[in-house]
Amino acid sequence: MKKLVLIGYMGAGKSTVGQALSEQMQVSFMDTDCWIEEKQGRCISDIFAEDGEDYFRKLETDCLKELLEQKENGVISAGGGLPLREENRELLRKMAYIVYLQVSKETVLERLKGDSSRPLLQVADRETRIAEMIQVRHPIYLEAADTAVEVDGREVEEIVKEILDLFLNGGFGKK
Ligand code: S3P
């Protein structure tokens, strides 16, 4: 079995769904953002503020290279911007089935109300920023993924079940 990676925009529920999936599948779970924060001993906002986004993106690639070396099964939640680099998409493809959790601007706005941990969303007009980013990223996420799953208005259990059904029935590869 390959690993299973969840990609998608901030607030799509990658960590929540990933954790639930890993429990059902009885495999390990990891989150690339947490991996980076642990290695760096500082939070993502500080990494962005002190060393910039490019530096953070390099750390994401380092994380994937290390994951590629680990042979065991597992579920991974990938930071929202991780699939933007072609190099990262290639690394992901080598090691994992890739599921895109597709979320709307409205859901993101609601879920991340008051959130201050995402440096890219600390802007005056958050709604426009989210809309623009989703527009740019959506085709990239779609292209990177084996399967896309809509999350708006759905319970975690339902999303987990859809992914598990696809996974167990060999439905990956059908977008
Ligand atoms: C980012 C998403 C964040 C985190 C960083 C940048 C992005 O992860 O990696 O703030 O560019 O979309 P989540 O998607 O887990 O929020």
Side-chain angles (χ1 to χ4, degrees):
M1 187 190 119
K2 288 180 172 181
K3 298 180 196 299
L4 201 152
V5 175
L6 299 176
I7 64 169
Y9 194 72
M10 293 173 262
K14 301 179 295 284
S15 300
T16 310
V17 170
Q19 234 148 12
L21 259 176
S22 72
E23 279 163 27
Q24 294 258 340
M25 296 166 84
Q26 298 186 324
V27 294
S28 66
F29 170 75
M30 73 83 71
D31 181 312
T32 60
D33 288 337
C34 295
W35 185 92
I36 289 171
E37 289 186 326
E38 268 167 38
K39 284 260 166 182
Q40 288 281 309
R42 52 188 176 151
C43 69
I44 286 169
S45 296
D46 287 345
I47 301 173
F48 269 69
E50 290 160 12
D51 293 303
E53 183 175 351
D54 278 357
Y55 180 76
F56 175 74
R57 299 299 172 202
K58 287 193 189 87
L59 298 175
E60 289 186 315
T61 304
D62 292 346
C63 174
L64 289 183
K65 284 181 178 161
E66 188 163 312
L67 281 172
L68 192 60
E69 298 303 314
Q70 296 171 3
K71 299 299 172 206
E72 70 266 28
N73 301 337
V75 177
I76 298 162
S77 165
L82 183 145
L84 301 181
R85 277 189 168 198
E86 172 58 28
E87 181 184 8
N88 291 353
R89 295 199 291 278
E90 273 169 30
L91 287 164
L92 284 178
R93 263 181 229 120
K94 278 190 195 152
M95 74 171 102
Y97 290 108
I98 306 169
V99 179
Y100 168 28
L101 297 187
Q102 194 176 328
V103 69
S104 68
K105 175 191 74 182
E106 289 71 24
T107 300
V108 175
L109 263 175
E110 178 60 31
R111 286 187 183 169
L112 298 187
K113 209 185 280 171
D115 174 88
S116 58
S117 68
R118 270 86 168 185
L120 296 177
L121 296 183
Q122 306 316 306
V123 292
D125 187 356
R126 198 177 249 207
E127 185 169 358
T128 304
R129 166 63 62 92
I130 294 170
E132 287 170 356
M133 286 176 83
I134 289 181
Q135 196 182 14
V136 170
R137 290 181 176 192
H138 173 68
I140 300 172
Y141 290 142
L142 261 189
E143 193 267 329
D146 294 296
T147 307
V149 173
E150 301 221 9
V151 302
D152 290 324
R154 300 178 74 191
E155 296 292 333
V156 172
E157 294 71 31
E158 202 187 329
I159 299 165
V160 166
K161 188 178 178 312
E162 180 176 342
I163 296 172
L164 276 179
D165 285 348
L166 282 167
F167 190 62
L168 298 173
N169 297 325
F172 283 102
K174 294 178 208 153
K175 280 197 188 144

